[in-house]
Amino acid sequence: MKKLVLLFTILLTINNVYSRRGPNDNKNNKSGGEAPTSAAGCASAVALSVLELNNVRTRIEGTGGSMWQDRSNGISDYEIPKRSNVTDPKFTSIFAGALWMGGQDVNGQLKIAAVRFRAAGNDFWPGPLNTSTAEIDPATCSKYDRFYGVSRAMIDEFNAWYDCSQDPNCNENDEYPGYQIPDEILDWPAHGDISLGQDWHLAPFFDRDGDDFYDPNSGDYPKYDLLGEIDCRTQRDVRLFGDTTIWFVFNDKGNTHSESGGPSIGMEIRGQAFAFATNDEVNDMTFYNYEMINRSTFTLTQTYFGQWVDSDLGGFADDYVGCDASRGLGYCYNGDATDESANGTEGYGTTPPAVGVDFFEGPFADSDGIDNPLTTNIPAALANNGIPYPGLGIGYGDGIVDNERYGMRKFVYYSSPGQHPGDGDPSSALDYYNYLRGVWRDGSNMLWGGNGHFSHPNSSGVPADILFPGDSDPLFWSTQGVTASPANWSEFNEGNPPGDRRFLESAGPFTLEPGAVNDLTVGVVWARAVSGDNWSSVANLLVADDKAQALFDNCFKIAEGPDAPDMAFQELDRELILYLSNKKVSNNYNEAYNQKNP
C-alpha cells in the first residue's frame, strides 16, 4: 500500500510540460563579452519538469542547464515547505542555479560554459553529442528537449511482475491483475543513435539477459540498484538514485554561447534530479548528479567545475552567505532576525530558515602517482596535494593511488548590485572564469576578513580560497595554512550590509583530457530552528547536512521498509475478521523481512 501511494504521487508530479519562450528576468541581469564560437544552430531548450515528492516542490529545466527558477514569470520556484493547497502562501528558498565550467586550451584560449537566468542567452542545449566530432544537429536537440521520469516504486513493481511472469509457481494474473509495462519504462532512452555517432549507452539500464540491448519485454529496466549491490566507493557503475528520479541530457555545443560569451568546450552532460521520501531531515532535501563527458579532442588546463546558486531565502534583499569548510557546504541565511517579503516573494518571518548546497563530489584530481593524504598537517597536505577535512574531497588517504576527487575547493560569493569594487554579476567570459577560480571581477584576490575584498577596512590582506567559513576552518586551509584574523569569520560576525547574494562552489584546478568522464554531485539541504535569531537555523542546517553526507557516503542507499500486506475482511454476526497476508513477491513473504538501515 505504501509503495502504491508513493508511485501514484510520483506519477502525478513528474510532468513534461513546457515553459513559454522569451522568459523575463525580474532582476534585470544582462550578459555579454567575448565573441562566441559558431555552433549547430539549435533552438533554446523550453522543456521543464517538476520534482515533487517530499517536502520540496521545485522546477527542473536541466536541458537548458538551469534549475529552480520559474523563468516564464521571473520568480523563484524552489518551494519549501511545499504547499498543500495552491491558495496557501508560497515560501521559496532558492531563485536559480546552474553548472559553470571553464578552462584554457593549449593556446591559452579560455573555453567556458555557464548560465545564470538564461534571460540574455544560453550556453547549454538538449541532447547527446557525436562521440567523435562533439557536434550535434537541431533535430537531435529538439528530440531530447524533454525529461524522463521514473520512480523506484515503479521499477520495483515492474521487476516483481517480471519475476512472477517467469516463475511457474507464480500466477502473474492473480498477483498483478491487469498489469501493463508503464510508458516511462518502455520509452527509456537507453541507447543513442549510432548512425549519428552518439554513444550507444545513454541512460543507465539493467540488462537482464546481457545482450547489450534495452528491451523491457525481456526484463530490462531503468537501472536502480534494487539489491544494493553496487559499492560506489570501489566501482564506477552508472545507475539511478532516489525514490523518484528525473533524467535528462544536454551539451554546450548546440549553438553560440550567448550567456557567457565564451567559446564552447564540447561537454555532454547526463543529469538526474532525485529525492527521497523519509521521516527525517532527508525529507527536506533534493539531490543532483551530473555525468560530464568531454567529447572534444583538445585538453583543457586550469579547469574548474562549479555549482552556482542564487539563494534567495524568502525575501531576496536581506541575505547573508557562508560555508562550512570541513563539510564542503555552502549556505545562505537571513541577514537579520526577520525575513520580510519582497517583490511579491513571501518572507519566512521570524527565525527564518537556512538553505545550503553540499558539494559532495567533483572532478578527478590530476594523477600524480601517490595516494594523496587526508591529514591535519597543513604543510604535509599542501606538499602532497592532500586535504585536511573530509568534506573537501573523496578518495584521500584511502590507500588507493590516483582515485582522488575534488570536493569544494573554492567558495566565493557576489552581490547584485555589487557592494564593492570587483563585486557584481559577471558580464563577460572572463568574469565567469574569475569567479570559478576565486578571483574578483577586477582581477584582485579574494582575501580573508571583512567582505573578502581589499577595500574593506577589516581585510587581513591574506588571500583566501574559501570565504566566510565561520569557525569551520581552524587549520586555516582556506589561506594555505597562514593564520588570519578574525579566526571566526562570517558575515554575521562582520555585520556586513545584507543583500541579494549569489554563491559559487567550485572544484579545481585540474586537467580535462579528451574523453574524460567526471561526476559532479550536489545536495540541497534545508533547516529551520524553532526559535532564535537569523544565525540559529545554521546550526540545524549542519545537523541536516551530516545526514545528507552520510547518505552520499552510503551510495544513496536507504533501507526499504517491509511491503504493506494485502488485507481482506470477513463479515460475521456482530464480528469483523481482518486477514493480513503477504504475496510471494513481497519482501515480507512469510514475515521474512530483515533489513538494517545503512
Side-chain angles (χ1 to χ4, degrees):
M1 182 179 297
K2 177 186 70 175
K3 289 187 176 180
L4 290 177
V5 171
L6 178 61
L7 173 60
F8 181 69
T9 302
I10 292 164
L11 290 176
L12 283 177
T13 57
I14 297 178
N15 303 303
N16 268 307
V17 293
Y18 293 86
S19 61
R20 296 190 294 274
R21 293 182 182 273
N24 298 313
D25 170 23
N26 72 333
K27 298 188 179 183
N28 299 316
N29 290 283
K30 298 180 180 180
S31 177
E34 302 171 14
T37 56
S38 60
C42 291
S44 301
V46 296
L48 65 87
S49 188
V50 175
L51 181 63
E52 180 179 6
L53 175 67
N54 47 29
N55 203 30
V56 183
R57 179 198 173 279
T58 189
R59 185 172 301 223
I60 307 297
E61 292 188 285
T63 57
S66 58
M67 293 285 190
W68 307 323
Q69 180 191 6
D70 180 354
R71 293 189 305 113
S72 59
N73 295 302
I75 59 175
S76 170
D77 205 27
Y78 194 91
E79 182 182 334
I80 179 170
K82 182 176 63 181
R83 294 172 291 175
S84 57
N85 191 303
V86 293
T87 60
D88 294 339
K90 179 180 179 180
F91 297 97
T92 57
S93 291
I94 304 178
F95 185 84
L99 292 180
W100 289 11
M101 59 195 76
Q104 301 175 34
D105 68 14
V106 66
N107 297 314
Q109 182 184 31
L110 174 62
K111 307 277 189 177
I112 197 156
V115 296
R116 292 176 294 132
F117 311 107
R118 294 173 57 202
N122 297 277
D123 276 21
F124 297 107
W125 295 265
L129 298 176
N130 183 295
T131 61
S132 299
T133 66
E135 299 299 334
I136 193 169
D137 59 81
T140 299
C141 288
S142 177
K143 175 183 176 181
Y144 283 95
D145 192 13
R146 60 170 295 187
F147 296 89
Y148 302 86
V150 293
S151 73
R152 175 64 182 263
M154 178 193 298
I155 304 306
D156 277 337
E157 184 182 31
F158 166 81
N159 190 53
W161 163 81
Y162 186 82
D163 284 345
C164 180
S165 71
Q166 304 301 303
D167 184 352
N169 296 317
C170 184
N171 190 321
E172 60 184 286
N173 294 321
D174 290 340
E175 301 288 348
Y176 297 93
Y179 180 83
Q180 293 184 330
I181 302 175
D183 289 341
E184 291 84 352
I185 296 177
L186 294 172
D187 296 338
W188 187 246
H191 302 301
D193 188 339
I194 57 175
S195 71
L196 297 176
Q198 298 166 9
D199 190 354
W200 175 246
H201 300 107
L202 197 55
F205 72 97
F206 176 72
D207 187 10
R208 190 180 297 263
D209 56 11
D211 65 352
D212 201 30
F213 182 81
Y214 180 70
D215 180 11
N217 292 301
S218 297
D220 301 341
Y221 55 80
K223 188 174 183 177
Y224 287 98
D225 183 15
L226 299 185
L227 300 179
E229 297 176 321
I230 300 173
D231 187 346
C232 62
R233 291 158 295 195
T234 60
Q235 62 188 111
R236 189 178 194 281
D237 195 322
V238 180
R239 72 277 191 205
L240 302 178
F241 305 108
D243 288 331
T244 184
T245 313
I246 300 172
W247 190 92
F248 50 97
V249 57
F250 61 110
N251 68 85
D252 83 316
K253 287 294 295 290
N255 211 318
T256 55
H257 285 199
S258 50
E259 172 91 24
S260 71
S264 61
I265 299 172
M267 294 295 293
E268 177 182 317
I269 304 138
R270 303 169 184 184
Q272 53 178 303
F274 55 100
F276 298 88
T278 69
N279 59 1
D280 62 3
E281 292 90 341
V282 177
N283 209 48
D284 293 326
M285 302 177 188
T286 59
F287 302 89
Y288 308 86
N289 170 261
Y290 303 94
E291 183 186 13
M292 310 171 74
I293 309 169
N294 181 15
R295 297 294 190 200
S296 74
T297 57
F298 51 79
T299 298
L300 290 186
T301 60
Q302 296 297 306
T303 310
Y304 293 84
F305 289 165
Q307 173 69 59
W308 172 83
V309 183
D310 182 2
S311 52
D312 292 358
L313 192 70
F316 70 88
D318 61 347
D319 289 342
Y320 280 159
V321 294
C323 71
D324 191 292
S326 64
R327 291 175 169 87
L329 171 73
Y331 54 78
C332 174
Y333 58 108
N334 213 60
D336 53 40
T338 302
D339 179 42
E340 297 85 7
S341 300
N343 280 15
T345 302
E346 198 78 27
Y348 280 99
T350 58
T351 314
V355 66
V357 177
D358 193 317
F359 198 100
F360 296 123
E361 173 187 33
F364 282 102
D366 290 352
S367 298
D368 57 8
I370 64 172
D371 174 28
N372 304 122
L374 174 63
T375 174
T376 56
N377 184 323
I378 296 299
L382 293 172
N384 296 286
N385 297 317
I387 57 173
Y389 310 124
L392 298 177
I394 59 177
Y396 289 80
D398 62 356
I400 301 174
V401 172
D402 289 338
N403 70 329
E404 294 83 9
R405 290 176 179 265
Y406 283 127
M408 183 183 77
R409 290 306 181 90
K410 306 279 185 178
F411 178 83
V412 304
Y413 85 103
Y414 65 89
S415 300
S416 181
Q419 296 182 346
H420 59 77
D423 195 9
D425 291 300
S427 60
S428 70
L430 183 58
D431 286 350
Y432 284 95
Y433 187 58
N434 277 345
Y435 279 138
L436 274 169
R437 62 193 187 98
V439 177
W440 291 113
R441 291 177 62 203
D442 61 4
S444 63
N445 288 326
M446 295 187 176
L447 306 174
W448 187 281
N451 57 17
H453 193 267
F454 68 84
S455 62
H456 195 280
N458 292 350
S459 173
S460 69
V462 178
D465 292 328
I466 297 175
L467 305 187
F468 306 130
D471 61 358
S472 70
D473 188 13
L475 301 174
F476 288 98
W477 172 253
S478 309
T479 58
Q480 298 193 11
V482 178
T483 301
S485 181
N488 187 343
W489 179 37
S490 68
E491 292 212 83
F492 180 83
N493 290 339
E494 288 285 354
N496 291 341
D500 183 8
R501 299 282 198 266
R502 294 91 193 265
F503 68 81
L504 175 70
E505 301 163 282
S506 68
F510 67 99
T511 302
L512 182 65
E513 301 284 355
V517 180
N518 287 282
D519 283 275
L520 193 153
T521 307
V522 300
V524 179
V525 296
W526 187 92
R528 187 173 192 175
V530 296
S531 63
D533 58 14
N534 50 321
W535 182 254
S536 301
S537 292
V538 175
N540 293 48
L541 187 75
L542 301 183
V543 173
D545 184 62
D546 287 342
K547 289 202 173 185
Q549 184 66 52
L551 185 57
F552 170 78
D553 292 343
N554 197 57
C555 307
F556 290 113
K557 296 174 185 175
I558 292 181
E560 287 189 75
D563 292 343
D566 295 316
M567 293 186 294
F569 296 89
Q570 183 180 4
E571 185 177 354
L572 302 175
D573 181 25
R574 290 180 296 176
E575 185 178 6
L576 192 65
I577 299 177
L578 173 63
Y579 294 94
L580 301 178
S581 62
N582 291 286
K583 297 177 181 179
K584 289 183 178 180
V585 294
S586 167
N587 67 4
N588 198 28
Y589 181 61
N590 286 334
E591 289 69 53
Y593 175 85
N594 182 21
Q595 290 194 38
K596 182 179 179 180
N597 191 328

